Amino acid sequence: MEEKQKIIETIIPVAVLKALTDAAERAVPQTILIGGVVPIRRFPFRVGRESRVKIIEGRVERIERERPEAGSPTNDLYLVDDGHLLNISREHFQIEREGEKFYLYDRGSACGTMVEEQSVGGGDRKETIELRDGDVLTIGTRKSPYVFQFLVLDNFEVRKKE
């Protein structure tokens, strides 16, 4: 039974980020997006930008950034910011868990993150706010197109069964 429990804990996410806009859905690598949601299985869960873009012949083209050293990744989710004004920082925010509570910690992003109508971080300030099930997150400024909903999955009974 312990082996099955470990498999369940590996597969079933604790929470998800649900893409609420087309831009948010396009920003997530398709190998990670499952039915419009990004599964969160372990904490802290770090989110940031890996790519830059530029306009080539009137089209927004993704430009992969060279990584100077081969180290461990700094994010669990790398979003593609394809806007003219970048909203997503390389190391933007992370979601942390303490017991049954969840927190969004802005990692010193330039534009900050909106949680519902409250601005967190921005201007390179590091701030933390408690996340509640159903909170809407806007990554970047209020006008950013990268809008997600944080959903806590009600799967604690599945995780605890023996």
Side-chain angles (χ1 to χ4, degrees), residues 1-70:
M1 272 312 216
E2 284 183 40
E3 184 178 344
K4 288 181 181 180
Q5 184 65 29
K6 287 179 185 178
I7 292 170
I8 288 171
E9 290 173 4
T10 302
I11 294 172
I12 298 175
V14 174
V16 297
L17 289 175
K18 179 182 178 185
L20 295 182
T21 60
D22 289 340
E25 195 165 318
R26 283 192 313 272
V28 178
Q30 294 305 300
T31 56
I32 294 174
L33 197 67
I34 302 170
V37 300
V38 175
I40 302 173
R41 295 182 179 92
R42 60 185 174 87
F43 299 91
F45 184 80
R46 296 176 180 94
V47 178
R49 172 181 45 81
E50 177 61 33
S51 304
R52 291 193 181 263
V53 297
K54 71 179 186 177
I55 305 298
I56 301 174
E57 297 177 9
R59 295 184 326 266
V60 176
E61 295 287 335
R62 181 177 173 164
I63 308 279
E64 290 298 328
R65 186 174 34 137
E66 297 274 334
R67 295 192 92 169
E69 72 280 340

Side-chain angles (χ1 to χ4, degrees), residues 4-5 33 55 67 75 84 105 123 133 137 139 156 161:
K4 288 181 181 180
Q5 184 65 29
L33 197 67
I55 305 298
R67 295 192 92 169
N75 296 308
H84 297 299
Y105 170 72
D133 184 33
L137 313 177
I139 303 173
F156 297 107
K161 283 186 180 178

Side-chain angles (χ1 to χ4, degrees), residues 114-127:
M114 299 297 300
V115 176
E116 291 296 324
E117 292 299 315
Q118 186 170 348
S119 180
V120 181
D124 302 324
R125 290 186 335 262
K126 297 180 179 181
E127 290 184 317

Side-chain angles (χ1 to χ4, degrees), residues 102-118:
F102 298 88
Y103 298 89
L104 182 136
Y105 170 72
D106 188 281
R107 297 161 69 191
S109 69
C111 294
T113 305
M114 299 297 300
V115 176
E116 291 296 324
E117 292 299 315
Q118 186 170 348

Side-chain angles (χ1 to χ4, degrees), residues 47-157:
V47 178
R49 172 181 45 81
E50 177 61 33
S51 304
R52 291 193 181 263
V53 297
K54 71 179 186 177
I55 305 298
I56 301 174
E57 297 177 9
R59 295 184 326 266
V60 176
E61 295 287 335
R62 181 177 173 164
I63 308 279
E64 290 298 328
R65 186 174 34 137
E66 297 274 334
R67 295 192 92 169
E69 72 280 340
S72 59
T74 58
N75 296 308
D76 298 294
L77 174 61
Y78 288 95
L79 298 171
V80 177
D81 191 342
D82 66 1
H84 297 299
L85 300 173
L86 294 177
N87 279 285
I88 305 168
S89 292
R90 289 182 184 174
E91 295 180 0
H92 200 99
F93 69 85
Q94 67 188 37
I95 297 172
E96 300 175 352
R97 182 178 187 182
E98 292 180 20
E100 295 302 313
K101 291 188 176 188
F102 298 88
Y103 298 89
L104 182 136
Y105 170 72
D106 188 281
R107 297 161 69 191
S109 69
C111 294
T113 305
M114 299 297 300
V115 176
E116 291 296 324
E117 292 299 315
Q118 186 170 348
S119 180
V120 181
D124 302 324
R125 290 186 335 262
K126 297 180 179 181
E127 290 184 317
T128 301
I129 188 172
E130 185 174 348
L131 280 178
R132 300 191 195 301
D133 184 33
D135 277 350
V136 174
L137 313 177
T138 303
I139 303 173
T141 66
R142 288 185 192 279
K143 295 182 180 185
S144 171
Y146 307 109
V147 183
F148 294 85
Q149 186 176 34
F150 176 73
L151 297 170
V152 178
L153 301 182
D154 189 20
N155 61 20
F156 297 107
E157 288 183 30

